[in-house]
Amino acid sequence: MEGSESTEVNAPAATNGKRKADTELERDAKRTTPSKEEEPTTHDQSTINENGTLQNDAATGTDDKPLSKNQLKRLRRQQQWEAYKETRKTKRKEKRHERQARKRAEREAKIAEAEAAGIDPATVLQTKEPWKHRPVPVTFIIDCDFEQYMRDHEIVSLSSQLVRSYAMNRKAKYQAGLHFSSWKGKLKERFETVLRNAHKNWKNVSFHEGDFREAAKLAQEQMTGPNGGELIDVIRPSEDGLKQPSGSEAASTDPMEVEAEGEDVDKSIVYLTSESPYTLERLEANTSYVIGGIVDKNREKGLCYKRAKDFKVRTAKLPIGEYMAMQSRYVLTTNQVVEIMAKWLECGDWGKAFLDVIPKRKGGTLKNGGGGGSEEPGEGGSDGESEESSEGEEAEDRAKDAAPAAAPSADSNSAPQLQESASTQAVSGAQ
């Protein structure tokens, strides 16, 4: 009797739980499903039964295993993402054509105004300076040896950031050397399969299976060689590349954690991490700057700083707190760090570099007197679309299309993810 009563009590609870799951799926579908006018061109063969079981013609052995609510939600998002892939591709193409038509119309309007005023149209049209490869003896190394800390969809996000990092450095006025270390595992496989080996067409880029020290060794040979690049004024040798902790910053720093840069520390390498007690004042010639390539939603703490200490290299953080006043705590993506340093090479002003790169929606403003930068946000980048930036955007679009939300996995019910990325926090230096 007791067993039957227990069954009768639990049955309504199970039914209510299923209704709640179905309600969440329907609500999620309404948020992600395009308008009725748009019709999907492809469909996923996976379906979900009423009892919460996955049915997939290609799947075997899991047809009778019920899925959790989180797995059902993720699978539904994946199906909808795949179904509307071609629609998104068409929209991107239409936006690109609209942008090109708008630029042509603006150009024709300027020419008409000049002719009406009796002015030579060539004098009013701003001719774009042709792109030129101008290497400098500075190297950016993206350390990709954090795959074990990332989930599949985070590896997808990192791959998109790497594509943008190349595009940003490629179209910059001065090109630093770009190296990818610990190039292996799922990240390498993704570039070779989903992205169709697009990285093999990248110019002046090196990939290394070894760690960042191996990449830095090769980079040092390149920077000091005959084709090392142009020694521009902002990177000429100086002794104040890293600012020592002082004042309140020194008081808040644990003395046991302050690294002693002795003879055993490799001073040709600087690992960027917010845990460092040192602030990056300027970029130096013949130096490699390492960026941790990790997206883990802030689950792991201090990975980059510990890695730098273990390998005995210098550390530093970007001076965001000294130049920018943020409405909320803000962290940087890997490609934003690359772009900020590329902008600094062009103008030698951290304030302007931050304003040009950090999205305006984040509400960042330049502190009064900070770095002597302009108080008005810069526009950043060129107005036109270079061949290099287009290549980066197309590769990133393929990355996004090929990787929707993460597929159902064993860790679907793990702790909720935070809003910030540990990789980006590691270099931000935001206080």
Side-chain angles (χ1 to χ4, degrees), residues 88-381:
R88 294 192 303 275
K89 183 177 180 181
T90 302
K91 280 189 174 183
R92 288 197 300 270
K93 184 176 181 180
E94 291 175 353
K95 287 183 179 180
R96 184 169 63 251
H97 290 170
E98 290 175 0
R99 186 166 57 249
Q100 293 171 350
R102 184 174 63 253
K103 289 182 178 180
R104 285 195 298 268
E106 292 175 355
R107 179 185 176 88
E108 292 174 357
K110 288 182 179 180
I111 293 176
E113 291 178 0
E115 291 177 348
I119 304 175
D120 184 4
T123 60
V124 298
L125 294 177
Q126 295 180 355
T127 57
K128 182 180 176 182
E129 181 181 356
W131 182 87
K132 180 181 180 182
H133 179 53
R134 301 183 65 180
V136 293
V138 172
T139 298
F140 304 148
I141 301 176
I142 300 181
D143 185 4
C144 303
D145 197 18
F146 298 96
E147 185 173 296
Q148 65 271 28
Y149 301 102
M150 293 187 287
R151 299 180 177 125
D152 289 345
H153 67 282
E154 293 168 342
I155 294 176
V156 170
S157 177
L158 177 61
S159 67
S160 297
Q161 294 181 21
L162 300 187
V163 171
R164 285 185 171 270
S165 296
Y166 166 73
M168 293 299 101
N169 185 64
R170 175 73 174 165
K171 73 176 185 179
K173 181 177 180 180
Y174 300 104
Q175 291 81 42
L178 186 60
H179 294 247
F180 298 89
S181 63
S182 300
W183 188 254
K184 53 190 176 183
K186 293 182 180 179
L187 185 64
K188 178 182 179 182
E189 180 183 356
R190 175 173 175 75
F191 271 86
E192 292 177 347
T193 56
V194 177
L195 299 184
R196 306 173 187 176
N197 283 315
H199 65 292
K200 293 186 177 180
N201 296 324
W202 294 358
K203 299 178 180 179
N204 306 305
V205 177
S206 298
F207 298 87
H208 312 268
E209 290 188 2
D211 59 38
F212 67 88
R213 295 174 299 175
E214 176 184 320
K217 184 177 180 180
L218 178 60
Q220 190 67 19
E221 295 176 357
Q222 294 176 346
M223 290 186 292
T224 57
N227 299 322
E230 177 184 356
L231 187 64
I232 56 180
D233 292 338
V234 295
I235 61 171
R236 292 190 181 278
S238 174
E239 296 181 357
D240 60 350
L242 301 183
K243 179 182 178 181
Q244 303 292 329
S246 60
S248 59
E249 181 180 0
S252 62
T253 303
D254 187 348
M256 298 299 295
E257 295 295 330
V258 177
E259 58 190 317
E261 293 187 353
E263 296 180 356
D264 59 338
V265 173
D266 189 346
K267 295 187 176 181
S268 67
I269 304 175
V270 177
Y271 210 118
L272 299 177
T273 164
S274 64
E275 284 82 12
S276 175
Y278 299 94
T279 301
L280 190 64
E281 290 279 291
R282 58 195 299 277
L283 303 185
E284 300 173 338
N286 302 325
T287 304
S288 296
Y289 295 89
V290 186
I291 306 166
I294 174 174
V295 179
D296 71 343
K297 304 302 180 183
N298 209 25
R299 292 187 303 272
E300 304 293 336
K301 305 288 185 180
L303 287 177
C304 295
Y305 185 68
K306 184 179 183 301
R307 185 170 174 81
K309 293 288 288 182
D310 291 342
F311 288 120
K312 295 183 178 180
V313 299
R314 292 193 296 170
T315 64
K317 58 188 175 184
L318 294 181
I320 295 182
E322 297 184 4
Y323 287 84
M324 298 295 293
M326 308 298 296
Q327 292 183 357
S328 60
R329 191 165 182 266
Y330 183 67
V331 290
L332 304 173
T333 60
T334 300
N335 56 283
Q336 286 173 341
V337 177
V338 170
E339 187 176 1
I340 285 172
M341 293 195 292
K343 288 287 184 181
W344 186 90
L345 290 174
E346 178 178 344
C347 64
D349 186 342
W350 287 116
K352 187 178 187 308
F354 290 137
L355 284 175
D356 284 352
V357 177
I358 295 179
K360 306 302 181 291
R361 66 179 183 274
K362 297 298 181 180
T365 57
L366 193 66
K367 289 184 177 179
N368 294 332
S374 171
E375 291 293 338
E376 294 297 328
E379 294 184 2

